[in-house]
Amino acid sequence: MKKLFLILMIISVGQLFAQEPFKRTMKLMGSRFDITVVAKDPVEGDEYIDLAINEIKRIENLMSSWNPDSQTSEINRNAGIKPVKVDAELLNLIQRGIGISKLTDGAFDISYASMDKIWKFDGSMTTMPKDAMVKASVSKVGYHNIILDKDKHTVFLKLTGMKIGFGAIGKGYAADKAKELLISKGVVAGIINASGDMNTWGKQPDGKEWKVAITNPMDKNKVFALLPITNGAVVTSGNYEKYVNINDVRYTHIIDPRSGYPATGIISVTVFAPKAELADALATSVFVMGIEVGLNRIEQLPQVECIIIDDKGNITASKNIEINTIE
Ligand code: ADP
Ligand code: MG
């Protein structure tokens, strides 16, 4: 009898502390998000996931250039006209974006947005745009012309027709912020996966590390590698989702702001970093910088690693990476 009581005690105490992963998939920021949280029951799991969703929606409202009511749209509308007062959060994000531009010699540039009119990655484009048009589009691009006033909290785009956009760091930033919020609410472990931009914390309930699957860029339905990841971010930028084929050359949706032409040669870049925002920005940058320069820059950054796959299927990784590829 005593023994049975003890067993029952153990079971109920076990249940009290039992933690399980709960996952939900939804569309946010125009992309697929998979949010996983470790919680004690589905009700708690749902509450946590709702918190993360609200945080991501809040960020989307602040920085989407599609939404005419966002502060970003307000900045773009006033390009060449006047500085616009914005939240400190947006100002800081823009400042960090400019920091990445400096680090990458302008390969990364949030003012790339005016080039978007030339290149369409939805299948509607069949011929190369005229060289003169491409050149003209770059004339509005340049992080030097984004003027921040930290005291007045304003952002001014100097040139008329200039635009900024967070296509290359927004999802990473949202993943970081959702993670930060959930940690502050006591969530012990989870994964925020924004279409391959992911940030994890803690471990799986069985004590094992979370594993991330990296898509095989040669066949997007296959996994190329499974890597363990603890408390950090991993982001993959690939040209297998958004691209255009013209005269048998595949052009990705990542554009070199200095030439106006899409990057070619690389088909997938995976970056590991403490934060998804940095990893996201760097993954995009490496596409533009190419293998040699890209790898060189990555190796100079502490706690940052990368894996690059080129269009011949060659894999290049930074020094500390060990890959166990899946056959
Ligand atoms: P994905 O959204 O597929 O994960 P990225 O994070 O690499 O890919 O972001 C690509 C997006 O970033 C493009 O769709 C565009 O909005 C924007 N972009 C393209 N080229 C650049 C660039 N050189 N610098 C900054 N942003 C860019
Ligand atoms: Mg990116």
Side-chain angles (χ1 to χ4, degrees):
M1 187 64 199
K2 236 183 186 172
K3 209 168 165 190
L4 184 67
F5 178 70
L6 199 67
I7 291 170
L8 284 175
M9 272 275 289
I10 291 170
I11 291 173
S12 53
V13 168
Q15 267 172 350
L16 200 64
F17 292 104
Q19 298 268 307
E20 266 183 83
F22 296 96
K23 180 173 162 181
R24 209 189 302 166
T25 299
M26 76 286 315
K27 199 165 182 180
L28 293 163
M29 306 179 98
S31 305
R32 177 193 162 122
F33 271 70
D34 300 276
I35 299 176
T36 307
V37 293
V38 169
K40 67 176 188 324
D41 55 44
V43 175
E44 192 184 67
D46 265 345
E47 275 171 21
Y48 290 155
I49 293 172
D50 287 342
L51 282 174
I53 293 174
N54 287 339
E55 177 65 353
I56 296 161
K57 285 187 177 158
R58 183 189 70 78
I59 293 165
E60 185 177 8
N61 283 335
L62 184 68
M63 62 183 208
S64 161
S65 48
W66 299 105
N67 173 359
D69 299 326
S70 73
Q71 294 190 354
T72 305
S73 295
E74 184 73 6
I75 296 172
N76 290 342
R77 261 196 302 275
N78 286 290
I81 303 171
K82 64 173 196 304
V84 172
K85 199 164 169 20
V86 298
D87 290 358
E89 183 176 4
L90 188 63
L91 193 91
N92 292 334
L93 181 66
I94 295 172
Q95 191 175 35
R96 292 195 299 278
I98 295 173
I100 302 285
S101 294
K102 290 181 180 158
L103 187 79
T104 60
D105 301 323
F108 179 90
D109 198 323
I110 56 165
S111 70
Y112 76 91
S114 60
M115 301 187 295
D116 265 11
K117 289 201 198 78
I118 309 276
W119 300 95
K120 301 267 173 269
F121 301 101
D122 56 4
S124 62
M125 216 170 110
T126 48
T127 52
M128 285 297 268
K130 294 225 161 49
D131 204 38
M133 271 170 66
V134 175
K135 282 216 176 74
S137 75
V138 197
S139 67
K140 304 285 184 200
V141 180
Y143 64 95
H144 294 111
N145 291 321
I146 307 171
I147 313 300
L148 303 182
D149 188 325
K150 282 284 235 182
D151 299 326
K152 293 196 182 122
H153 279 268
T154 59
V155 182
F156 178 45
L157 306 181
K158 260 189 172 166
L159 311 177
T160 316
M162 208 177 151
K163 268 164 72 182
I164 55 170
F166 301 98
I169 47 169
K171 277 184 282 150
Y173 177 65
D176 287 342
K177 291 295 284 184
K179 167 181 165 177
E180 202 179 292
L181 179 75
L182 292 186
I183 290 176
S184 79
K185 300 288 178 192
V187 184
V188 291
I191 308 174
I192 312 288
N193 180 354
S195 306
D197 295 14
M198 59 177 104
N199 207 337
T200 67
W201 70 103
K203 288 185 178 182
Q204 301 187 51
D206 63 6
K208 291 199 183 116
E209 287 173 333
W210 296 115
K211 283 211 168 62
V212 298
I214 298 181
T215 305
N216 180 344
M218 300 293 192
D219 179 351
K220 69 175 179 179
N221 298 314
K222 286 192 179 150
V223 169
F224 143 79
L226 259 184
L227 300 156
I229 174 158
T230 10
N231 202 25
V234 53
V235 168
T236 299
S237 260
N239 80 350
Y240 40 87
E241 297 281 353
K242 292 182 211 144
Y243 60 87
V244 57
N245 275 330
I246 303 174
N247 304 333
D248 291 333
V249 179
R250 182 183 282 201
Y251 297 92
T252 84
H253 63 308
I254 297 171
I255 303 171
D256 188 335
R258 298 157 300 189
S259 68
Y261 282 91
T264 52
I266 293 178
I267 59 171
S268 162
V269 178
T270 299
V271 174
F272 299 80
K275 289 212 163 180
E277 178 194 323
L278 178 67
D280 196 1
L282 290 173
T284 306
S285 310
V286 171
F287 254 93
V288 177
M289 290 189 286
I291 299 177
E292 204 181 323
V293 178
L295 209 61
N296 177 285
R297 289 297 147 94
I298 294 284
E299 303 232 306
Q300 289 174 32
L301 299 168
Q303 292 177 280
V304 180
E305 303 292 337
C306 81
I307 303 171
I308 305 170
I309 306 176
D310 72 14
D311 55 7
K312 312 270 180 326
N314 298 315
I315 303 169
T316 316
S318 59
K319 331 192 246 300
N320 300 321
I321 289 274
E322 247 177 65
I323 315 169
N324 295 316
T325 46
I326 294 165
E327 292 306 320

